[in-house]
Amino acid sequence: MSIAMIPHTTDEIIALESAHTAGFYPKRQVAIVRGQGATLWDADGREYIDCVGGQGAANLGHAHPAVVAAIQAQAATLISCPEIFHNDQRAAYLSELIAVLPDGMGRAFLCNSGAEAIEGALKIARLITNRPNVIATVRGFHGRTLGALSATYEPKYREPFAPLLSGFSHIPYDKLEALEAAVNEQTAAVLIEPIQGEGGVRPASPGYLDGAQRICRERGALLIVDEVQTGFGRTGTLFGIEHAGITPDLIALAKSIAGGLPMGAVAIHSRYGTLPQGSHGTTFGGGPLVCAAARAVLQAMRDEELPRQAAEKGAYLIEQLRALKLARVREVRGMGLLVGLELKERVQPFLPALMELGVLALPAGPNVLRLLPPLVISYAQLDRVVVAVGSVLQGAK
Ligand SMILES: Cc1ncc(COP(=O)(O)O)c(C=O)c1O
């Protein structure tokens, strides 16, 4: 076996990675090697403002000292401990997580990613209700594993992998009348995001989530809220559902849950008690390293009031972007620091242009520019983002 030399320059890194990666990702021509707060650096030392935020996994910012310290201490103590044993970090984390969730959420299953949290929630819903069907929404995104993909809407993600799971359907998002018509005695669960992220940064209208909860309760279906992208301060509250004040049956969590380490969770309403032993599981779930990191995340969320920071900075960013009055932009919308600019044209060409100006950003569907910075981003950085966005999107359409 030969050990590869560590590549150093951008060109070396891109060449070596491209030679061996599976190829699923359309990658940008940049090699990111270091981060601090909301700043990233490439292999050639160039600095960027990070409005990708680890695709939502970096709400605390890069190299957050409390997360780094927790990981370092726990790595030197115990990394692996499957759930056939009890563990101090897991026990503490479960109780700390339950304490910050809406009253009534009393238990949690710990796993390793957003898709896995969705898989877990779907299995739990079928187990509890003994019903087959799942209702998801048009433009909803829930992950790429086969169960999560069955709930994801985008045809280009789904079609190459057909047949997917049976019993899944998609109804228009944010339309209570569609839910009224769809939920019946065969419905195990309704799965919705508080704000559709990948689907174009589309917040639910007031009344939608409460209405969904009422319809589910009346008809014996479970409401699963996908907080994978909206959780951990992103929308200006610790969880997106807090804007609606609801307590769902199941909540899927991931992304920023453990400060960037791979982790997911399904929070489960207390009324369902414990679930049948052996009916689900995963080797890495609830490992001590990620639990220690996740505890540091909750502490930092509280100490630095990150949800409040997201609310204030997000309102500022949206106001500044709207003030640009860009002709190419149909709408600027969002909640907290989940911000989207819906363009009158495709967004893709503007992403490398923004990168040239030192801002890394995301698409959300074909024509929405999504800004998902770490919640610790400074106002000076937000101002630079606004200038860069104004510069690449200037001109008439
Ligand atoms: C709302 C939502 N649910 C689920 C997922 C899937 O999470 P993961 O990529 O960790 O599998 C994502 C990922 O973007 C997401 O945004």
Side-chain angles (χ1 to χ4, degrees):
M1 190 182 79
S2 68
I3 306 289
M5 295 283 287
I6 292 280
H8 288 293
T9 66
T10 297
D11 289 347
E12 286 167 4
I13 295 169
I14 291 177
L16 188 59
E17 192 171 314
S18 303
H20 303 293
T21 180
F24 285 131
Y25 300 92
K27 295 194 197 205
R28 304 183 192 182
Q29 294 304 296
V30 63
I32 299 297
V33 295
R34 189 161 67 85
Q36 183 72 54
T39 307
L40 290 170
W41 286 268
D42 72 15
D44 301 328
R46 202 173 158 210
E47 188 176 314
Y48 301 86
I49 301 175
D50 179 15
C51 289
V52 167
Q55 290 182 320
N59 288 6
L60 258 71
H62 302 283
H64 189 288
V67 176
V68 171
I71 292 173
Q72 284 175 337
Q74 189 58 38
T77 305
L78 183 68
I79 295 178
S80 292
C81 178
E83 283 226 28
I84 56 168
F85 303 118
H86 295 271
N87 172 260
D88 55 347
Q89 294 297 332
R90 184 189 308 127
Y93 182 60
L94 283 170
S95 78
E96 289 163 9
L97 176 64
I98 294 305
V100 297
L101 286 164
D103 283 349
M105 305 307 293
R107 295 183 179 276
F109 164 70
L110 302 177
C111 54
N112 312 293
S113 70
E116 235 190 284
I118 296 294
E119 296 288 337
L122 295 172
K123 284 181 72 178
I124 292 168
R126 283 187 169 171
L127 207 55
I128 288 174
T129 61
N130 203 21
R131 295 174 174 190
N133 293 347
V134 174
I135 297 172
T137 61
V138 173
R139 296 205 185 90
F141 185 87
H142 303 288
R144 311 280 200 136
T145 54
L146 284 173
L149 188 60
S150 305
T152 288
Y153 174 72
E154 176 60 47
K156 77 168 188 273
Y157 297 153
R158 296 161 52 83
E159 281 166 3
F161 303 100
L164 297 176
L165 296 191
S166 60
F168 284 67
S169 60
H170 295 87
I171 60 170
Y173 183 69
D174 207 27
K175 300 258 181 300
L176 272 185
E177 55 285 11
L179 264 180
E180 289 277 10
V183 181
N184 60 33
E185 66 292 343
Q186 293 297 304
T187 309
V190 170
L191 171 58
I192 37 186
E193 296 158 83
I195 301 176
Q196 288 189 323
E198 296 278 324
V201 187
R202 294 168 205 278
S205 306
Y208 180 61
L209 291 171
D210 336 14
Q213 182 175 50
R214 174 185 54 75
I215 294 167
C216 286
R217 286 210 181 137
E218 282 169 6
R219 304 186 193 177
L222 303 200
L223 177 62
I224 307 173
V225 176
D226 181 344
E227 290 262 14
V228 168
Q229 187 159 155
T230 50
F232 300 99
R234 174 57 60 190
T235 70
T237 49
L238 193 56
F239 301 106
I241 45 173
E242 290 171 35
H243 297 287
I246 62 157
T247 305
D249 299 285
L250 303 171
I251 305 172
L253 301 165
K255 290 212 192 265
S256 277
I257 186 170
L261 292 190
M263 185 182 193
V266 186
I268 307 162
H269 199 286
S270 308
R271 71 169 73 89
Y272 304 113
T274 53
L275 298 167
Q277 279 188 7
S279 57
H280 192 51
T282 167
T283 301
F284 291 121
L289 187 68
V290 290
C291 286
R295 296 184 62 209
V297 167
L298 286 183
Q299 188 66 45
M301 287 271 149
R302 219 174 356 250
D303 291 349
E304 294 166 39
E305 297 184 71
L306 289 173
R308 182 185 56 75
Q309 289 202 42
E312 291 172 7
K313 290 173 184 172
Y316 176 80
L317 178 60
I318 288 176
E319 188 184 302
Q320 299 300 310
L321 290 169
R322 284 185 181 148
L324 293 173
K325 296 196 186 323
L326 295 163
R328 292 177 192 275
V329 175
R330 186 170 287 130
E331 189 184 20
V332 181
R333 58 177 178 250
M335 273 182 114
L337 280 170
L338 174 47
V339 174
L341 292 89
E342 183 174 325
L343 309 186
K344 297 173 186 165
E345 61 200 293
R346 297 186 75 77
V347 63
Q348 210 59 49
F350 297 108
L351 296 171
L354 268 177
M355 193 168 95
E356 274 305 304
L357 296 181
V359 174
L360 301 173
L362 281 168
N367 63 346
V368 175
L369 175 68
R370 181 172 33 151
L371 302 173
L372 209 60
L375 313 184
V376 296
I377 192 169
S378 69
Y379 282 92
Q381 286 179 308
L382 289 176
D383 287 341
R384 280 158 55 202
V385 170
V386 172
V387 170
V389 168
S391 157
V392 301
L393 291 179
Q394 73 188 346
K397 171 63 190 164

